[in-house]
């Protein structure tokens, strides 16, 4: 029996994680749940999965949840904000932490989980974007398992299982988002609803918008560099609109391993949860005759400048990825709030990389402080 802490339990990754728990009650229990503001769903999850530790996004929400759970027969510890996240991530009875929080929200809690000796199933790529070297050093020092949950990183992880040859290149596939064939002049007019209508994947709003700008793929390039210890020049991005091949690895002998599957996040989530076993994820089998064909193409670097910016930030070898991530978080928030247009997301991020100089960061506190400073400067810009 494996006990889980689910960070981001009411989000897309969290909901699908709990679906797998529901399918396999003989393998998994829930020790801790952490969510943001969706108290209705969180209350339902608490009553169903009966965790010992629960965290909300604020003190007011925690008080509301406590009132709602007045009849709950089993005592629970209720916390909120970052302290609550860390309590959930470090709950003594937990074996595996599902890090499924969006953006930089889960950085401190994910680090705390590793320091507490917990294995981590990582869906929060921003942890590695912001603090890759620090995080991987902590993973090695504590001897914990780091299991990727992003479909592309999980695919690479699976392709590398049992293979010790040197990697020639990693090929990260990308659906291209909803606008990969849209003329540049039309992209400036893209609405919020259009950007959130991904043709293949159902995800949270931040990652969906990042997929539309290809920033998500850029963040995954940085994530892959740290997860698999490969330089940027060995990581390629390939547009694959059908999203059936989730990524590929080419070895020095010319062999290419690929992982294929339906566009269902329960596949990589279940693999991380049950590793090294494979379990029923609830996914319907693929019909290859029904697919007809699989196509691949180069990304359009000119229409999606944030992809190139991510490579350049990674190759700079300094704190540029922190600037990249912080500026993107602010820009996407402004776009979702209707304060800027879709085309301005790229402009804000590129401007920030141009006028905010990188800074030496030697600790997690340095990372957090610089990230917050960049976000504030971009908001005022």
């Amino acid at each position: 029996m494996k006990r889980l802490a689910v960070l981001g339990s009411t989000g897309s990754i969290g909901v699908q994680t709990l679906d797998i728990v529901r399918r396999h009650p003989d393998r998994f229990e829930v020790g801790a749940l952490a969510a943001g503001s969706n108290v209705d769903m969180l209350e339902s999850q608490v009553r169903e999965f009966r965790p010992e530790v629960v965290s909300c996004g604020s003190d007011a929400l925690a008080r509301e949840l406590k009132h709602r759970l007045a009849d709950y027969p089993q005592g629970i510890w209720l916390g909120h904000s970052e302290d609550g996240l860390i309590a959930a991530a470090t709950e003594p009875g937990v074996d595996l932490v599902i890090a499924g929080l969006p953006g930089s929200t889960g950085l401190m809690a994910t680090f705390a989980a590793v320091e507490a000796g917990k294995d981590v199933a990582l869906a929060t790529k921003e942890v590695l974007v912001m603090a890759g070297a620090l995080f991987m050093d902590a993973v090695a020092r504590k001897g914990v398992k780091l299991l990727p949950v992003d479909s592309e990183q999980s695919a690479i992880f699976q392709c590398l299982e049992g293979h010790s040859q040197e990697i020639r290149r990693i090929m990260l596939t990308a659906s291209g988002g909803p606008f990969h064939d849209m003329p540049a002049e039309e992209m400036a007019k893209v609405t919020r609803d259009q950007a959130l209508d991904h043709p293949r994947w159902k995800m949270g709003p931040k990652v969906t918008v990042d997929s539309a700008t290809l920033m998500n793929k850029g963040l995954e390039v940085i994530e892959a560099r740290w997860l698999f210890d490969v330089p940027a020049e060995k990581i390629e991005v390939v547009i694959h609109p059908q999203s059936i091949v989730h990524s590929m690895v080419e070895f020095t002998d010319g062999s290419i391993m690929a992982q294929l599957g339906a566009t269902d996040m329960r596949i990589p989530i279940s693999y991380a949860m049950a590793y090294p076993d494979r379990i029923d994820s609830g996914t319907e089998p693929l019909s290859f005759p029904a697919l007809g064909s699989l196509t691949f193409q180069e990304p359009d670097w000119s229409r999606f400048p944030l992809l190139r910016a991510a490579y350049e930030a990674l190759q700079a070898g300094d704190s540029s990825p922190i600037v990249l991530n912080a500026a993107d978080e602010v820009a996407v928030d402004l776009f979702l709030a209707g304060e800027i247009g879709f085309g301005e997301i790229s402009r804000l991020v590129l401007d920030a990389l141009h006028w905010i100089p990188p800074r030496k960061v030697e600790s997690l506190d340095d990372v957090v402080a610089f990230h917050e400073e960049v976000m504030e400067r971009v908001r005022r810009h």
Side-chain angles (χ1 to χ4, degrees):
M1 183 66 70
K2 190 178 291 186
R3 291 181 63 76
L4 310 177
V6 185
L7 309 185
S9 67
T10 60
S12 176
I13 295 295
V15 167
Q16 292 176 90
T17 296
L18 294 176
D19 178 66
I20 295 164
V21 173
R22 197 176 286 118
R23 292 172 180 275
H24 298 277
D26 58 323
R27 296 189 67 119
F28 305 108
E29 291 179 340
V30 176
L33 293 173
S37 59
N38 192 341
V39 176
D40 290 339
M41 185 182 292
L42 184 56
E43 178 190 359
S44 175
Q45 291 174 345
V46 169
R47 292 185 181 279
E48 179 178 1
F49 295 102
R50 308 177 75 80
E52 284 82 32
V53 172
V54 179
S55 176
C56 298
S58 70
D59 180 45
L61 291 170
R63 289 199 305 269
E64 179 182 346
L65 185 60
K66 183 176 181 179
H67 176 72
R68 291 187 182 200
L69 294 171
D71 65 330
Y72 191 64
Q74 173 183 328
I76 58 173
W77 183 90
L78 268 172
H80 64 87
S81 306
E82 190 162 88
D83 287 346
L85 287 175
I86 291 173
T90 58
E91 165 64 11
V94 162
D95 306 300
L96 176 68
V97 175
I98 311 294
L101 291 161
S104 60
T105 310
L107 178 69
M108 297 295 284
T110 308
F111 261 88
V114 171
E115 292 293 346
K118 311 295 185 185
D119 293 338
V120 173
L122 186 67
T124 307
K125 61 181 69 66
E126 289 82 359
V127 171
L128 289 170
V129 171
M130 294 169 61
L134 290 170
F135 189 70
M136 295 309 295
D137 285 348
V139 168
R141 175 166 44 81
K142 300 302 291 190
V144 300
K145 294 187 183 73
L146 180 60
L147 304 160
V149 168
D150 276 342
S151 62
E152 296 82 2
Q153 313 297 5
S154 176
I156 297 163
F157 183 77
Q158 293 179 59
C159 290
L160 292 174
E161 284 288 278
H163 295 273
S164 59
Q165 302 104 313
E166 184 181 345
I167 297 171
R168 179 180 288 174
R169 58 177 171 154
I170 284 172
M171 288 166 277
L172 288 170
T173 56
S175 70
F179 312 127
H180 69 95
D181 288 328
M182 181 180 283
E185 58 273 16
E186 292 184 26
M187 289 178 66
K189 307 171 188 174
V190 163
T191 67
R192 181 183 189 276
D193 288 344
Q194 287 176 306
L196 292 176
D197 187 21
H198 196 282
R200 296 288 175 184
W201 297 96
K202 297 302 179 187
M203 305 170 289
K206 168 65 165 60
V207 69
T208 303
V209 174
D210 279 347
S211 294
T213 63
L214 288 194
M215 171 59 97
N216 190 54
K217 204 54 50 179
L219 298 178
E220 287 176 6
V221 169
I222 300 173
E223 182 185 24
R225 179 265 174 272
W226 294 110
L227 279 174
F228 307 111
D229 193 24
V230 291
E233 57 268 24
K234 287 190 175 185
I235 306 171
E236 298 181 8
V237 172
V238 180
I239 302 299
H240 171 50
Q242 296 82 17
S243 295
I244 297 299
V245 177
H246 295 297
S247 276
M248 298 170 278
V249 176
E250 182 178 16
F251 298 97
T252 50
D253 63 357
S255 298
I256 296 176
M257 300 284 288
Q259 189 264 336
L260 287 71
T263 53
D264 191 323
M265 281 300 298
R266 290 177 298 175
I267 297 174
I269 293 170
S270 67
Y271 188 68
M273 288 171 64
Y275 181 82
D277 298 338
R278 292 185 185 271
I279 57 176
D280 176 23
S281 66
T283 307
E284 292 296 319
L286 276 178
S287 168
F288 280 89
L291 288 173
S293 63
L294 303 176
T295 61
F296 305 88
Q297 62 194 69
E298 290 278 347
D300 187 331
W301 298 89
S302 62
R303 288 193 303 121
F304 299 98
L306 293 185
L307 179 57
R308 187 180 300 281
Y311 271 98
E312 292 172 351
L314 174 59
Q315 290 169 322
D318 52 30
S319 60
S320 293
I322 299 175
V323 178
L324 178 88
N325 188 75
D328 181 63
E329 288 194 15
V330 173
V332 172
D333 282 347
L334 291 173
F335 170 70
L336 291 172
E339 296 182 34
I340 64 171
F342 183 76
E344 291 179 273
I345 297 174
S346 298
R347 181 186 62 78
L348 274 178
V349 176
L350 296 174
D351 282 355
L353 287 166
H354 177 71
W355 61 268
I356 300 178
R359 180 177 301 170
K360 188 174 183 179
V361 292
E362 298 180 327
S363 68
L364 187 56
D365 287 341
D366 290 345
V367 171
V368 172
F370 187 43
H371 193 268
E372 290 177 352
E373 178 185 324
V374 173
M375 291 182 73
E376 184 57 34
R377 292 178 69 177
V378 174
R379 289 190 191 101
R380 296 198 312 260
H381 188 56

